[in-house]
Amino acid sequence: MAYDNDNIFAKILRGEIPSEKLYEDDDTYVFMDIMPRVDGHCLVIPKTPARNMLDATPEQLAACLKTAQKMSHAVMKAFDADGITFQQFNEAAGGQEVFHLHYHILPRHEGTPLRAPGQMADFGVLKEQAEKIRAAL
Ligand code: 5GP
């Protein structure tokens, strides 16, 4: 399947739609998920096009994992978490909804389940949580 330049994360990377940015480097960009399954749910994406893990280059994968580790430490600290759930979906059958490679980072607390999908965040709360993560970086 071909990469679609008009997917929502491509638009975020081009600055055409807003995002709550947490971190960026030459190769990756990190921002808050707008429908968080837990407090601190964020997404790591490569700055260059890749539909998902299946067409990504080894360099894109390596850059995303390096950034994901850095962000995992930051959200652990910011939310005093007990662990991290790390997710990545490939194609619709694999659960993927946005077709630009992305990794979910979810700080977890013992005994606290994920929230149901599809619930929009309160943007004030999202901003406060983002500030805590940026401070922990
Ligand atoms: P997946 O493709 O891995 O199933 O999930 C896509 C993720 O992107 C979902 O967790 C969803 O909440 C998030 N998402 C969808 N649209 C937007 C958006 O416009 N902005 C942000 N920040 N996240 C989004």
Side-chain angles (χ1 to χ4, degrees):
M1 296 281 270
Y3 181 80
D4 172 11
N5 270 312
D6 283 328
N7 76 75
I8 206 131
F9 294 169
K11 290 181 180 174
I12 284 176
L13 283 169
R14 291 196 295 268
E16 292 167 11
I17 62 167
S19 63
E20 188 61 46
K21 173 180 150 180
L22 298 173
Y23 172 81
E24 73 179 313
D25 59 23
D26 287 347
D27 303 311
T28 61
Y29 185 80
V30 187
F31 55 105
M32 298 298 282
D33 195 302
I34 46 164
M35 290 176 266
R37 306 288 307 275
V38 288
D39 290 351
H41 181 175
C42 61
L43 301 168
V44 177
I45 64 174
K47 286 186 170 176
T48 47
R51 188 173 160 88
N52 53 43
M53 181 181 65
L54 300 169
D55 66 335
T57 64
E59 291 75 20
Q60 287 174 313
L61 298 175
C64 286
L65 284 192
K66 187 172 164 211
T67 297
Q69 186 188 40
K70 184 182 182 75
M71 295 310 304
S72 295
H73 286 303
V75 297
M76 285 283 288
K77 189 170 161 194
F79 293 91
D80 196 22
D82 301 314
I84 297 290
T85 296
F86 191 50
Q87 292 179 319
Q88 193 272 317
F89 305 116
N90 300 279
E91 297 301 332
Q96 187 176 11
E97 291 179 354
V98 178
F99 295 96
H100 180 107
L101 174 65
H102 56 278
Y103 291 90
H104 297 256
I105 296 177
L106 301 131
R108 305 298 303 273
H109 294 90
E110 288 294 349
T112 305
L114 296 181
R115 292 195 282 263
Q119 300 178 64
M120 196 61 79
D122 173 310
F123 286 103
V125 172
L126 206 68
K127 208 168 252 308
E128 274 172 28
Q129 293 173 348
E131 272 160 24
K132 275 169 64 174
I133 299 171
R134 288 190 289 263
L137 271 167

